[in-house]
Amino acid sequence: MPERSALRFTVLGTVQGVGFRPYVHRLATGLGLDGWVANTGGHVEGAVAGRSDAVARFGRRLGADAPVLARVRQVLLSAASTHPPAPGSGFAVRPSSPGLNGTAAREIPPDAATCADCLQELFNPGNRRYRYPFINCTNCGPRATVIEDLPYDRAHTTMRDFRLCPACADEYRDPADRRFHAEPLACPSCGPQLSWNGLEAEAALGAAVTVIRRGGIVAVKGLGGYQLVCDATDQACVTELRRRKRRPSKPFAVMAQDVAAARQLASVWKTERRLLDSPVRPVVLLHARVPSPIAPAVHPGTHRVGLFLPTTGLHHLLLHDLARPLVVTSGNIADEPIATDDAEARLQLDGIADGFLIHDRPIRARYDDSVVQAVGRTVITVRRARGLAPAPMPLPRPATIPLVAVGAQLKHTFA
Ligand SMILES: [Zn+2]
Ligand SMILES: [Zn+2]
């Protein structure tokens, strides 16, 4: 009989809400190991047992090929001398536990833009999530804007009131499914729904699309707050948005359907393309084409235009159905914070928006869009928000004294 050994592991970093437990499950079962994995406090813990060579390989690979959204800071391994997993007991994702109040940072992952697999499903008429705006999986979707606490479980997110339907529950429990333990998992029959003045789902989206197509301004409830959306090619409409929002000249960000559409509006070099297409989906400051289909009122007095690609299923649907670049800007007046509460948004945006495209999931945390600029291959972060925050920024070298960093003038950042 081959020699058997066991290993305990703890993984620190941004490892919850990024598909890490499913990844460990695949790694362990692929090597034929018994054991378990769980979210504990702010990190991931577990144990494996099996053939010594397979256990050793597990220890070497753990964290090395982690999911794209994970940020592994440390992997701690030790021999599992007490209660090693029994032979043939299989591998399980155990219920989360609050853990001890250790010193390890509790890292809540930022939101991630709709991944390529979900995008393919979103526009596949045969898929049960066809045109479902809240589509997500373990590799994409809302995180910081829905998580209320760690350990990362549905019960600790704003999705807890949406009870999984049988089909979603099957996906959630199936280790082979790409939505295995995807906590914000949702579908048209059990997840959040769009609404617009008494209309629901497709009818609500259709009403918003019609208003925008006719030159109107729509308030859209996004992930991290309300946004104001209108046709970026319509000079009269953008001018009216400036008047109503009391924002005379500061440029508006423009959302384009994909990289090809962005290239019609601005020159996009290699680094900029990577930024546009990344899960962060920041607003990227680019040199606008001359002439450009974008209305001059979008970025008056500057050749720079801030472009970004759709961040959620809802934005993909809006861009697809309208087939034109859209101004997507924070839903507020002048320097007020972006609105997140439904009643507050109605009050604040009543005189600005011609209609409200909303949904029934509360917004846990306020997030504006991130803004970046590439200078050659160097990336300058102008505003660190959705998609980047609240992920910690590692210091280039350890601090020898306790430090506090506070910035910036209008958007607060504390470290
Ligand atoms: Zn996805
Ligand atoms: Zn469902």
Side-chain angles (χ1 to χ4, degrees):
M1 194 168 160
E3 195 190 338
R4 201 177 153 84
S5 64
L7 195 66
R8 288 278 311 214
F9 58 88
T10 301
V11 187
L12 307 178
T14 308
V15 288
Q16 294 192 18
V18 292
F20 206 85
R21 289 171 300 172
Y23 150 72
V24 174
H25 190 286
R26 278 192 302 276
L27 180 60
T29 51
L31 291 165
L33 299 173
D34 301 308
W36 57 274
V37 62
N39 282 342
T40 305
H43 51 270
V44 165
E45 273 185 10
V48 288
R51 287 172 54 122
S52 292
D53 57 339
V55 168
R57 204 174 312 157
F58 176 89
R60 282 196 300 274
R61 282 178 55 188
L62 181 63
D65 49 0
V68 284
L69 301 179
R71 295 287 172 271
V72 174
R73 305 210 187 282
Q74 205 175 2
V75 178
L76 306 170
L77 301 173
S78 62
S81 46
T82 53
H83 309 299
S89 58
F91 195 89
V93 175
R94 280 193 184 169
S96 306
S97 69
L100 302 170
N101 280 331
T103 51
R106 296 157 71 88
E107 297 183 14
I108 291 177
D111 291 355
T114 314
C115 73
D117 289 337
C118 286
L119 189 57
Q120 196 275 332
E121 289 184 5
L122 183 67
F123 290 110
N124 174 4
N127 191 279
R128 70 188 189 89
R129 291 189 178 85
Y130 175 57
R131 292 183 60 84
Y132 180 58
F134 303 94
I135 190 166
N136 68 80
C137 72
T138 47
N139 285 329
C140 76
R143 298 293 187 271
T145 51
V146 298
I147 294 175
E148 293 171 330
D149 198 7
L150 296 180
Y152 179 56
D153 285 311
R154 196 172 175 93
H156 292 148
T157 72
T158 55
M159 291 299 293
R160 70 169 164 269
D161 293 332
F162 298 93
R163 207 184 150 83
L164 289 178
C165 69
C168 284
D170 283 349
E171 293 171 334
Y172 185 88
R173 284 191 299 258
D174 178 3
D177 195 282
R178 65 188 193 84
R179 294 193 170 89
F180 179 49
H181 275 274
E183 306 299 342
L185 176 58
C187 82
S189 55
C190 70
Q193 291 294 350
L194 290 178
S195 61
W196 168 285
N197 209 12
L199 300 173
E200 292 220 324
E202 273 293 341
L205 182 63
V209 164
T210 301
V211 168
I212 296 169
R213 189 177 284 135
R214 290 179 182 163
I217 298 163
V218 167
V220 175
K221 187 178 179 184
L223 281 177
Y226 274 75
Q227 297 169 319
L228 292 164
V229 178
C230 73
D231 183 347
T233 65
D234 184 334
Q235 173 75 356
C237 172
V238 178
T239 306
E240 179 61 13
L241 175 62
R242 289 205 174 280
R243 191 189 66 76
R244 293 189 197 172
K245 209 170 137 65
R246 291 184 231 148
R247 180 159 147 163
S249 59
K250 199 173 148 196
F252 287 131
V254 172
M255 191 175 270
Q257 193 172 354
D258 50 28
V259 172
R263 286 205 158 116
Q264 309 273 311
L265 312 174
S267 38
V268 178
W269 299 96
K270 204 169 160 190
T271 304
E272 295 159 339
R273 187 210 151 100
R274 182 176 57 75
L275 290 166
L276 281 172
D277 225 5
S278 74
V280 174
R281 286 290 198 284
V283 173
V284 184
L285 300 179
L286 300 165
H287 280 287
R289 289 205 183 283
V290 184
S292 162
I294 294 178
V298 170
H299 53 106
T302 170
H303 292 304
R304 285 204 176 279
V305 61
L307 295 187
F308 63 146
L309 303 188
T311 51
T312 68
L314 176 56
H315 293 99
H316 276 290
L317 292 169
L318 284 171
L319 266 292
H320 172 269
D321 292 3
L322 284 154
R324 72 195 73 185
L326 299 175
V327 165
V328 178
T329 186
S330 47
N332 57 358
I333 301 175
D335 293 327
E336 293 283 314
I338 182 170
T340 54
D341 177 77
D342 291 340
E344 172 203 340
R346 289 266 175 196
L347 269 178
Q348 206 189 119
L349 305 178
D350 192 37
I352 304 181
D354 298 310
F356 287 77
L357 182 61
I358 64 168
H359 57 77
D360 51 353
R361 180 171 63 198
I363 295 171
R364 160 74 183 88
R366 175 180 280 125
Y367 275 93
D368 225 320
D369 293 309
S370 290
V371 182
V372 301
Q373 182 182 347
V375 179
R377 282 188 210 149
T378 306
V379 178
I380 298 167
T381 305
V382 180
R383 185 203 286 152
R384 197 167 186 277
R386 175 195 47 74
L388 290 171
M393 294 169 68
L395 293 173
R397 65 180 78 93
T400 51
I401 52 167
L403 291 175
V404 61
V406 184
Q409 192 180 357
L410 290 175
K411 312 277 172 180
H412 295 175
T413 306
F414 294 95

